[in-house]
Amino acid sequence: MERNKYSKIVLSDTERQWMQEHFGTTKNADVAAHLGVSPRTIIRIARDMGLEKHSDFTKAMQRNAAEHAARTNRASGGNEGMRNLLLYGKAHRFRSGESNRNRMGEEAFREMHRRIGKSRKEIFRKERRRVLFGLEQKTGLRVVRCPREKISLRRNLRRHGYEVARASNEAFVTPRTRRSQAMEERAGKMGMRFTLAQSADTRHTKPDKLRQQYLCLASRT
């Protein structure tokens, strides 16, 4: 064994031969002790040589580890967590044909739905604020009532390359947009307006004052 100019351990031909013959069926700690290097070095050398543990050896080691853990568990009086689960966990287990209301109880079931409803209302309120101040939504909730015809028109505008934010009445025309006069006329009748975007980075951009107002209002609520 020697070290090269980069202080990297290099095995001799005899050691490499021993490594090829015994690495697959020997623990890394035993291989490291035999060669006088650290286990981490053994892992690096085995990776460089393309060596792997034999599948039978790996399965035997896993089986021995499981048997040792079981013996240790029995010697210490058994698994405390399993005993607690058997004693106190029966009431919370899933049973076929049993609803959450029956499993949790009426009070807990109502409390769960109260928290879900409160969280949804808060998300809905924030999303409406974002639409009000011209910012993109973070969720797919429909917070503004809109005719199906207008929703379909927005989708078609996006397919033609127009940049249209969700629930927005402003569409940006980019160099990639395939403009359609008929679609723009229909959109104009529905209250939408079209703006020429200088670059892709300017789409959906609103004045900084509106953003500051939104952030200020959001921090108060």
Side-chain angles (χ1 to χ4, degrees):
M1 183 184 301
E2 60 181 7
R3 293 179 180 270
N4 59 13
K5 61 181 180 179
Y6 302 106
S7 298
K8 187 176 181 179
I9 295 177
V10 179
L11 299 181
S12 63
D13 294 340
T14 304
E15 292 170 334
R16 289 176 65 87
Q17 182 65 28
W18 186 92
M19 184 88 170
Q20 290 178 348
E21 295 176 356
H22 297 87
F23 177 80
T25 57
T26 309
K27 295 181 180 180
N28 289 347
D30 297 339
V31 176
H34 178 81
L35 298 177
V37 297
S38 66
R40 184 181 292 273
T41 302
I42 292 299
I43 295 175
R44 177 184 61 78
I45 295 174
R47 183 173 60 248
D48 294 341
M49 296 176 62
L51 301 178
E52 295 181 353
K53 298 294 184 183
H54 295 171
S55 59
D56 295 340
F57 175 76
T58 303
K59 292 179 182 178
M61 294 299 297
Q62 293 174 347
R63 185 168 55 252
N64 292 338
E67 292 175 355
H68 176 72
R71 289 194 299 269
T72 303
N73 187 29
R74 288 193 296 269
S76 61
N79 192 331
E80 188 69 22
M82 181 59 69
R83 281 205 303 270
N84 290 337
L85 179 62
L86 293 175
L87 290 175
Y88 307 112
K90 292 182 179 180
H92 302 283
R93 291 180 183 176
F94 173 79
R95 296 183 180 87
S96 179
E98 184 180 28
S99 64
N100 286 336
R101 184 189 298 270
N102 296 332
R103 182 173 59 85
M104 299 174 60
E106 188 68 26
E107 184 176 354
F109 184 77
R110 288 182 178 179
E111 178 63 19
M112 179 187 70
H113 279 271
R114 187 192 66 80
R115 292 196 303 267
I116 293 174
K118 182 179 179 181
S119 176
R120 183 176 177 84
K121 287 180 180 179
E122 182 66 16
I123 295 174
F124 193 87
R125 183 183 63 82
K126 290 181 178 179
E127 289 293 80
R128 292 200 64 173
R129 290 277 178 84
R130 296 187 68 84
V131 172
L132 177 63
F133 285 94
L135 302 176
E136 279 197 79
Q137 292 184 227
K138 292 184 177 181
T139 67
L141 293 175
R142 184 180 298 177
V143 297
V144 178
R145 291 186 178 181
C146 183
R148 292 185 179 273
E149 183 181 1
K150 193 171 185 179
I151 296 174
S152 177
L153 179 60
R154 285 199 188 102
R155 182 169 60 250
N156 291 332
L157 287 172
R158 295 189 188 101
R159 290 177 178 175
H160 279 71
Y162 293 90
E163 299 290 344
V164 187
R166 183 180 177 86
S168 175
N169 285 327
E170 186 171 10
F172 290 88
V173 181
T174 67
R176 296 177 298 177
T177 302
R178 304 188 306 276
R179 302 195 67 172
S180 170
Q181 183 178 358
M183 293 179 63
E184 292 186 12
E185 290 179 356
R186 285 178 55 201
K189 294 178 181 179
M190 295 182 184
M192 296 186 65
R193 59 186 181 275
F194 294 84
T195 305
L196 292 175
Q198 296 179 358
S199 64
D201 295 334
T202 60
R203 60 180 180 268
H204 310 324
T205 302
K206 294 295 181 180
D208 294 338
K209 184 176 181 180
L210 290 178
R211 295 180 182 273
Q212 293 176 359
Q213 291 177 354
Y214 168 76
L215 296 175
C216 181
L217 186 60
S219 62
R220 295 178 182 176
T221 58

